[in-house]
Amino acid sequence: YEEALQAFTVCLRMSPGTERARRRSVTILELLGRPEEAAELTSAAQAVPDEEVITIVSGLPRSGTSMMMQALVAGGAKPFTDDKRAPDESNPKGYFEHAAVKGLAKDGRFLALAKGHVVKVVAPLLPMLPPRFRYRVVFMDRDIHEVLGSQDRMLGRRSKKGPKEAFRMGLHDAYQKQLAKAEAWQAKHPNVEMIHVPYANVISDPVAEMHRVNELLGGKLDPEAMVAAVDPDLYRTRGAESSN
């Protein structure tokens, strides 16, 4: 135990955000009958400076992640983007993406450059985030029928008869599984703080939702600027029409 504790201590000195090493150290200290040191190490984990934390905006595709990215940037957050994907009719104000995120499953080392920044990571990729970093996650929730309808509109799949029902059902089930996996991932990673932000609430009451988000991120952004960045006119696919 002593040798393991020494190894984890060295690891934490080199990379303070390595939560697995911190949790193992706390467990060993408790086993060794040193609860005060375990408590001190736990408190240290909660005091990680903002510049060491990566803010993640996530959700299903077409759930409002680009809108939230725009609001955070307007409020003063630093985006981790490469501007390779240009604005278009579906997202006239931009996508706020970084191409490296698509390769997250193979290589997440680039996230070391994203500390202190906000990054857009779609829900299926959340479990691929390296556990050695600290994350604050703003997860966008949107009615799945609206998500599917927005995707139909974006991809031009709409016809007089609408998209094939079997295709819709397949996506619906797949998205439900992705949401469940995202919840399971957050539940077992103490290095992750996450709040759910309903897309419809951002449109109907942006003041309340942006204050919630700002509180998660340490209260250092400008909520009024975040609210001003919300454009209700971009809420073009709503529940009733998306299920038709």
Side-chain angles (χ1 to χ4, degrees):
Y1 283 147
E2 291 288 355
E3 292 178 356
L5 182 61
Q6 183 179 3
F8 288 134
T9 300
V10 171
C11 176
L12 288 169
R13 286 175 182 169
M14 297 175 64
S15 182
T18 309
E19 287 305 308
R20 285 184 177 177
R22 192 181 306 279
R23 294 200 304 273
R24 299 293 191 276
S25 297
V26 169
T27 299
I28 291 173
L29 287 167
E30 290 173 345
L31 288 171
L32 293 174
R34 293 152 65 178
E36 295 84 3
E37 293 177 61
E40 185 178 347
L41 195 56
T42 300
S43 299
Q46 300 170 352
V48 175
D50 289 340
E51 57 269 21
E52 289 294 319
V53 179
I54 302 173
T55 298
I56 302 291
V57 171
S58 189
L60 294 174
R62 309 302 299 166
S63 64
T65 52
S66 297
M67 175 184 68
M68 181 56 67
M69 287 290 295
Q70 179 189 347
L72 291 177
V73 172
K78 296 185 291 185
F80 186 75
T81 60
D82 56 13
D83 297 321
K84 289 186 177 180
R85 190 175 184 183
D88 56 26
E89 183 181 352
S90 297
N91 266 2
K93 298 189 177 183
Y95 284 87
F96 296 88
E97 295 178 347
H98 197 293
V101 174
K102 296 178 181 178
L104 192 55
K106 295 182 178 179
D107 188 357
R109 290 176 295 179
F110 71 90
L111 284 171
L113 302 174
K115 292 180 180 180
H117 292 69
V118 56
V119 189
K120 186 164 81 169
V121 179
V122 291
L125 292 177
L126 283 181
M128 309 297 176
L129 290 169
R132 64 182 178 275
F133 300 118
R134 287 291 299 268
Y135 303 101
R136 292 173 182 154
V137 182
V138 179
F139 197 96
M140 298 300 297
D141 287 329
R142 188 177 185 182
D143 181 274
I144 290 186
H145 294 293
E146 291 187 358
V147 168
L148 293 171
S150 181
Q151 289 183 356
D152 291 337
R153 185 191 297 270
M154 178 181 181
L155 300 175
R157 284 198 297 257
R158 280 200 177 275
S159 65
K160 291 183 179 179
K161 295 183 179 180
K164 292 182 179 180
E165 188 62 24
F167 180 80
R168 269 287 190 100
M169 287 302 298
L171 270 183
H172 182 280
D173 292 346
Y175 284 159
Q176 290 283 26
K177 291 178 181 178
Q178 289 173 7
L179 291 173
K181 286 182 179 179
E183 285 298 311
W185 167 78
Q186 190 271 333
K188 66 180 182 181
H189 285 85
N191 59 317
V192 177
E193 295 179 81
M194 185 163 77
I195 62 169
H196 288 262
V197 179
Y199 179 91
N201 288 7
V202 174
I203 300 298
S204 64
D205 191 359
V207 174
E209 293 303 321
M210 292 307 169
H211 275 87
R212 284 182 62 226
V213 172
N214 188 40
E215 183 178 352
L216 171 72
L217 304 185
K220 297 181 180 180
L221 300 181
D222 182 348
E224 292 185 4
M226 294 164 67
V227 170
V230 176
D231 186 353
D233 291 338
L234 294 180
Y235 191 8
R236 295 172 292 194
T237 305
R238 298 175 186 263
E241 67 179 76
S242 63
S243 58
N244 293 333

